[in-house]
Amino acid sequence: MTCEETTPLLMDRLQGDLSPAGEEQLAAHLATCPACRAEVEAMTETWNSLGSLDDEHVPHERLRARFHAGLAAYEARESRHWTERVFASWWPQQPVLQMGLAAALALVGVLVGQQLPSSSDNEIAELRSEVRAVGIALLDHQSASERLLGVKWAQGTAQAPEVIDALLERVQYDTNLSVRLAAVDALRADLDNPNVVAGLAMALERQESPLLQVALTDALLAADQPPIDAVRAVLGRTELDPTVREYLQMALSEVEPETAPAIPEA
Amino acid sequence: MTCEDTTPPLMDRLQADLSPVGEEQHDERQSELVRQALLRLPAERREVLVLSRYEYKSYDEIARVLDCSVGAVKVRVHRAMKQLREIYLDMAGEVSA
C-alpha cells in the first residue's frame, strides 16, 4: 500500500467507519512507515481537538441550509431523469404536433376550469392560510429542529408580512444559534423590504455571537441601501471578537471603497 | 443550621469560582484557538470539515451534495484538516512567543 492510499482509510477511521480489514491494512502500513504514523497521529489529534468546540462556537453559518438545498437539488436532478423519461415517451418531436397537443391541453384546461365550482379560489386561499399557520407554528415550536424546519419552510414560500415578522423574531430572540443563522439566511431573499433591513440592523445591535454578527453584516451589506452606520456601530464595541472586527472592516471597505473612513478603534 | 454554618461552604464555593483552574483554562484557550483557526480556514475547506465533523454527515452524503466522488470528499476533508492544523500551530506559536 502506498502512503497516499492511507488517506481514505484514515478519514474513515476518524469517522469511526473503518472496516476491520481496512484497519489491518492501515496498521500494516503504519508499522513500516514512520512518516504516515506521524501524519495519522497529527490528524487524529486535530480531529479530536475539533471535538472540543461546543456547538455554539462552530461556524455552521449557512451550511445547514446550503446542505439541505444541495441535497434537494441532487434529489431533484435524480427525479428529473425519471420524469424526463416519461415525458419524452409521449411528447411529440415535431413542432406542429407539439403545438397541436399544447393547444388541445390548453382547451381541456379551460373547460375543466369552467366546470369547477367558483369557490375553489377561496378554498385554495384557505388552504394557503392553513399551511402558513402551520409554518408559523413551527417557527414558534419548542424544539430547535422543528424551528429550523419552520425556517426552511419559510425560505420556500412567498413572504407574507406575518412570516417575515416570525423570522425576524427568530433572528432576535431564538435561543438556538443555528435557528438564528438560518432565519437570517431565509430573510436574505427579502432585503428589498425596508422592514427586513431595519429588523436585521436592530438584531445586529444586540447579538453577541461572532458568527451571527458576521452573517448579519453579510446580509445587511448585500441590501440595496446597506445600513452602514449600524454595521460601523458594532466596531465601537469593546468586547468585539478580533476576527469579526477584521472581517467587518474588510466588508465595510468593500462596500464603500472610495470613502473608506477612519474606522474607530475600540 | 445557623448563618455561621453556611459560611465555610459558601466561601469554598466562591474560592472555587474565583481561583484559576490551570487545566480548564488551558482547554479553553485551546478551544478558542481551534475556533479562530476554523474561522480563518477558506470557506470551502471549512464547509467540508464542518459538515463531516460537526454535522455528522457521511462522506457519501457530502459527495452527493458536492457532486463529486466519495474519495474526493475524503481528500478534501483531509486537506482542510491539514491546513487547519497549520493555522492552529501558527497561532499557538504566536500566542506563546
Side-chain angles (χ1 to χ4, degrees), chain A residues 6 17 95 233 236:
Chain A
T6 61
D17 212 18

Side-chain angles (χ1 to χ4, degrees), chain B residues 33-85:
Chain B
L33 275 180
V34 172
R35 190 178 73 82
Q36 296 272 350
L38 207 50
L39 282 172
R40 288 185 190 194
L41 213 54
E44 53 183 78
R45 295 216 163 154
R46 187 169 61 217
E47 186 173 57
V48 286
L49 193 52
V50 171
L51 284 174
S52 65
R53 185 67 180 92
Y54 298 103
E55 304 268 332
Y56 306 104
K57 303 294 181 210
S58 67
Y59 297 130
D60 193 49
E61 274 179 296
I62 301 173
R64 269 190 292 162
V65 170
L66 300 183
D67 206 9
C68 62
S69 70
V70 175
V73 171
K74 290 178 189 173
V75 169
R76 282 201 208 180
V77 178
H78 185 239
R79 277 198 201 130
M81 293 215 322
K82 276 182 104 129
Q83 190 176 0
L84 179 89
R85 187 173 175 82

Side-chain angles (χ1 to χ4, degrees), chain A residues 91-143:
Chain A
W91 188 248
Q93 297 304 308
Q94 291 93 334
V96 178
L97 289 182
Q98 285 176 351
M99 272 171 65
L101 187 51
L105 284 173
L107 187 64
V108 169
V110 169
L111 290 176
V112 168
Q114 279 174 348
Q115 298 305 311
L116 284 177
S118 58
S119 66
S120 65
D121 274 358
N122 289 337
E123 278 168 22
I124 289 172
E126 254 172 50
L127 191 64
R128 254 194 215 134
S129 81
E130 262 172 45
V131 170
R132 189 178 296 156
V134 171
I136 291 175
L138 271 180
L139 279 168
D140 207 22
H141 200 275
Q142 208 176 358
S143 129

Side-chain angles (χ1 to χ4, degrees), chain B residues 13-45:
Chain B
R13 234 180 34 227
L14 284 176
Q15 199 74 36
D17 282 348
L18 292 175
S19 62
V21 182
E23 204 168 301
E24 238 170 57
Q25 272 203 335
H26 174 76
D27 283 353
E28 248 169 53
R29 214 173 44 224
Q30 199 193 346
S31 294
E32 177 56 22
L33 275 180
V34 172
R35 190 178 73 82
Q36 296 272 350
L38 207 50
L39 282 172
R40 288 185 190 194
L41 213 54
E44 53 183 78
R45 295 216 163 154

